[in-house]
């Protein structure tokens, strides 16, 4: 497509991305904007970042840019750093050998490798722009914009996919999913983000192959879940993941609670995600810890009750042990960094402490660094479950905004009602008086 046909202007492109392409071209290499940035500009969206593809090798790229760092083991990439903006530059990828045992290929030259599931675990194979286009995942991500002649080359009918509003894989879907199972998550993410549907052949293998996500490193899945749930469309994304059977391999402890679409567990997760979407779309701060606390809350409750009944542990000890066990199991699938898992446990512990409001406890809880997160969590639980839990959440809503005199009045009223049955003060046993020698 010529400039007149596609309408992309250099004004739509990051100045730093243009610098990178001009320098590569000036050194005798080819360079193109590629992937999501081209797709987004064509769809009238503002690109989040700009990626460049070139026939220069990572080492040649590094030789041209002092502000370059090479990253990646599965496939080497160059990051050109301009302050806070990073332009990612990838060498054209080529087709890999199907086996390390190919007698016609010297072992020293075989730099791609699959595991027993067909997943690519090493992929440093360089090739032509045509091969690179075939190696890309979705058709609308295989469009290349050249700053040399201002054309867009559409190798896989990506523009047609945009017009049909379909997410469509390049090549055989099962093979492509086996190469990289994260493509199943990307298909869902793009469908939600772009307001598209997943094309039939692309959608068909997802459920049968969903378990392959178990082979993805937990740290990578943490980054992918952030993209899924902190996009501003987390609730819709969650429902689509559930529809395609992708929640179970990500959150195996949560999945059994979601069999009933109208269950309190499903309603709770949806409400938390809807609230998160609202905050993100209002440019308010969110933390992954709150989201993970919600996704794992009911597994913690169930495990705590199980430990109490089976092991005879008291509620406090059972809850602490259950919290550790549930987080430990989850990190086998999705790594939750300690800076977040610590906050997750703080939120959960506050659910045990917030019902205990007598004496100085209520005032002490207000000063807890995670009080707000714990209260917000309690409020959503109350909205979903109702009853005493909702009354407790409403009490805390009024208490935290009341002046000191009114707060004391609320605590006095609480003592009188029901004799403080809900988390009331304990009666202290009076120590027997010491008996003197003449008693």
């Amino acid at each position: 497509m010529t400039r007149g046909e596609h309408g992309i202007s250099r004004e739509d492109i990051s100045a730093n991305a243009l610098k990178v392409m001009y320098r590569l071209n000036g050194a005798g290499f080819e360079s193109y904007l590629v992937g999501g940035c081209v797709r987004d500009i064509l769809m009238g969206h503002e690109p989040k970042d700009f990626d460049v593809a070139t026939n220069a090798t990572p080492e040649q790229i590094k030789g041209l840019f002092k502000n370059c760092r090479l990253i990646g083991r599965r496939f080497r990439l160059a990051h050109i750093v301009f302050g806070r903006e990073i332009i990612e530059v990838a060498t054209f990828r080529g087709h890999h050998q199907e086996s390390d045992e190919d007698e016609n290929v010297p072992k020293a030259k075989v730099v791609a490798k699959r595991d027993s599931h067909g997943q690519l675990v090493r992929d440093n194979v360089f090739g032509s722009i045509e091969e690179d286009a075939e190696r890309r995942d979705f058709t609308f991500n295989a469009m290349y914009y050249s700053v040399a002649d201002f054309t867009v080359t559409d190798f896989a009918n990506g523009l047609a996919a945009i017009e049909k509003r379909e997410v469509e894989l390049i090549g055989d879907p099962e093979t492509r999913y086996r190469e990289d199972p994260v493509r199943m998550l990307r298909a869902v993410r793009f469908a939600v983000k772009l307001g598209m549907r997943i094309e039939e052949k692309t959608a068909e293998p997802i459920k049968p192959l969903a378990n392959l996500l178990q082979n993805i490193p937990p740290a990578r899945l943490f980054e992918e879940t952030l993209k899924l749930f902190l996009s501003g469309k987390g609730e819709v994304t969650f429902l689509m993941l559930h529809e395609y059977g992708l929640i179970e391999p990500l959150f195996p402890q949560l999945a059994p609670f979601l069999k009933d679409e109208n269950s309190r567990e499903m309603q709770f997760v949806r409400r938390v995600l809807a609230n998160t979407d609202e905050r993100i779309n209002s440019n308010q701060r969110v933390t992954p810890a709150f989201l993970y606390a919600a996704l794992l809350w009911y597994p913690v409750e169930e495990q705590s009750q199980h430990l109490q009944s089976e092991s005879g542990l008291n509620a406090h000890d059972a809850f602490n042990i259950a919290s550790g066990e549930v987080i430990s199991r989850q990190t086998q699938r999705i790594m939750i960094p300690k800076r977040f898992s610590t906050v997750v446990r703080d939120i959960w512990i506050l659910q045990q402490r917030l019902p205990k409001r007598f004496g100085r406890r209520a005032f002490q809880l207000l000063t807890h660094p995670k009080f707000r997160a714990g209260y917000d969590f309690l409020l959503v639980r109350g909205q979903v479950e109702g009853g005493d839990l909702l009354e407790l959440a409403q009490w805390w809503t009024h208490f935290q905004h009341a002046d000191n005199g009114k707060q004391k009045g609320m605590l006095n009223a609480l003592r009188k009602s029901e004799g403080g049955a809900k988390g009331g003060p304990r009666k202290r046993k009076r120590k027997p008086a010491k008996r003197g020698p003449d008693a």
Side-chain angles (χ1 to χ4, degrees):
M1 290 181 284
T2 63
R3 179 161 44 181
E5 293 172 315
H6 59 67
I8 295 178
S9 164
R10 279 172 290 181
E11 293 179 359
D12 301 320
I13 302 169
S14 156
N16 293 322
L18 290 171
K19 286 178 189 175
V20 169
M21 290 191 290
Y22 285 136
R23 186 173 297 182
L24 285 166
N25 289 352
F29 298 108
E30 299 175 44
S31 68
Y32 302 85
L33 274 186
V34 67
C37 57
V38 178
R39 176 200 69 222
D40 287 347
I41 294 172
L42 289 172
M43 294 184 71
H45 302 156
E46 185 177 345
K48 189 176 180 181
D49 46 41
F50 291 85
D51 296 335
V52 172
T54 179
N55 60 344
T57 66
E59 290 72 22
Q60 289 171 328
I61 298 166
K62 188 171 178 62
L64 289 173
F65 298 91
K66 292 181 180 179
N67 54 334
C68 172
R69 62 172 183 246
L70 300 184
I71 66 161
R73 297 179 66 183
R74 194 171 70 106
F75 187 79
R76 298 284 278 168
L77 297 167
H79 277 181
I80 316 297
V81 182
F82 297 91
R84 292 187 177 183
E85 184 178 20
I86 295 175
I87 306 300
E88 186 171 280
V89 184
T91 306
F92 294 148
R93 288 174 293 179
H95 295 303
H96 50 78
Q97 299 296 327
E98 291 298 323
S99 169
D100 283 356
E101 304 302 321
D102 188 337
E103 294 179 358
N104 297 318
V105 179
K107 288 187 179 293
K109 292 187 178 180
V110 177
V111 287
K113 187 178 181 181
R114 294 174 183 262
D115 65 12
S116 59
H117 301 285
Q119 183 177 335
L120 287 171
V121 293
R122 192 169 68 248
D123 194 20
N124 286 310
V125 181
F126 304 137
S128 64
I129 187 173
E130 290 81 10
E131 289 175 311
D132 188 74
E134 290 175 9
R135 293 294 315 281
R136 294 195 170 268
D137 48 11
F138 300 101
T139 56
F140 50 48
N141 285 343
M143 293 185 287
Y144 294 66
Y145 171 82
S146 169
V147 77
D149 57 11
F150 312 116
T151 59
V152 170
T153 305
D154 182 2
F155 285 97
N157 295 319
L159 200 58
I162 290 173
E163 290 170 355
K164 290 188 294 182
R165 307 202 71 77
E166 286 186 342
V167 178
E168 182 179 3
L169 272 170
I170 297 171
D172 174 62
E174 181 171 343
T175 301
R176 302 312 304 278
Y177 288 141
R178 287 187 179 278
E179 285 179 351
D180 186 0
V182 168
R183 286 175 179 145
M184 292 183 278
L185 302 181
R186 285 169 59 81
V188 169
R189 181 160 62 85
F190 284 136
V192 173
K193 173 185 176 180
L194 303 173
M196 295 181 172
R197 69 179 190 91
I198 303 177
E199 183 266 337
E200 187 176 347
K201 290 182 180 178
T202 299
E204 190 176 351
I206 293 179
K207 273 191 178 180
L209 298 179
N211 65 313
L212 292 178
L213 285 168
Q214 298 176 38
N215 303 325
I216 300 299
R220 185 181 177 201
L221 284 181
F222 176 74
E223 297 300 327
E224 292 296 329
T225 54
L226 294 188
K227 295 175 187 176
L228 290 165
F229 297 133
L230 301 184
S231 63
K233 296 183 178 181
E235 184 186 9
V236 179
T237 301
F238 181 85
L239 293 174
M240 188 175 283
L241 290 169
H242 182 52
E243 176 188 350
Y244 284 105
L246 294 169
I247 292 296
E248 185 166 359
L250 296 175
F251 299 97
Q253 297 174 97
L254 172 65
F257 293 95
L258 305 179
K259 291 178 181 177
D260 179 1
E261 298 287 337
N262 298 312
S263 67
R264 65 171 187 171
E265 293 85 358
M266 176 65 91
Q267 298 310 310
F268 177 67
V269 171
R270 288 189 63 176
R271 190 177 284 261
V272 167
L273 286 166
N275 291 349
T276 301
D277 291 342
E278 187 176 342
R279 290 182 65 86
I280 290 170
N281 294 324
S282 302
N283 296 316
Q284 292 179 280
R285 183 176 171 272
V286 298
T287 171
F290 194 91
L291 178 62
Y292 275 90
L295 292 168
L296 300 174
W297 170 248
Y298 287 108
V300 166
E301 263 201 338
E302 183 181 72
Q303 180 64 4
S304 177
Q305 293 165 6
H306 174 76
L307 288 171
Q308 286 183 68
S309 61
E310 294 293 320
S311 305
L313 293 169
N314 63 50
H316 179 269
D317 290 343
F319 188 82
N320 282 338
I321 292 170
S323 299
E325 288 179 352
V326 168
I327 288 177
S328 177
R329 288 178 195 145
Q330 183 58 49
T331 54
Q332 293 172 20
R333 293 292 176 88
I334 300 175
M335 178 57 64
I336 307 174
K338 192 171 182 179
R339 68 183 183 277
F340 297 128
S341 64
T342 301
V343 178
V344 168
R345 296 192 69 156
D346 284 341
I347 292 171
W348 288 345
I349 289 168
L350 280 168
Q351 305 312 296
Q352 309 300 302
R353 294 182 62 188
L354 286 169
K356 301 171 183 177
R357 297 163 280 173
F358 292 90
R360 299 297 303 169
R361 286 177 176 173
F363 295 106
Q364 289 169 350
L365 284 169
L366 282 179
T367 64
H368 191 289
K370 301 304 175 188
F371 168 79
R372 183 69 200 191
Y375 159 74
D376 287 345
F377 197 86
L378 174 69
L379 186 59
V380 180
R381 289 177 61 212
Q383 291 167 345
V384 171
E385 297 187 30
D388 291 343
L389 205 58
L390 181 57
E391 287 184 19
L392 175 64
Q394 290 172 338
W395 187 93
W396 275 108
T397 300
H398 297 310
F399 184 80
Q400 64 182 300
H401 297 299
D403 59 37
N404 190 260
K406 193 171 182 180
Q407 287 176 334
K408 289 179 179 178
M410 290 177 69
L411 289 171
N412 286 333
L414 191 64
R415 285 192 193 92
K416 292 175 184 177
S417 67
E418 302 179 14
K422 298 294 180 183
R426 296 178 182 175
K427 292 183 179 180
R428 294 186 179 181
K429 291 184 179 179
R430 183 176 293 178
K431 294 181 180 179
K434 292 184 178 179
R435 300 170 68 96
D438 297 329

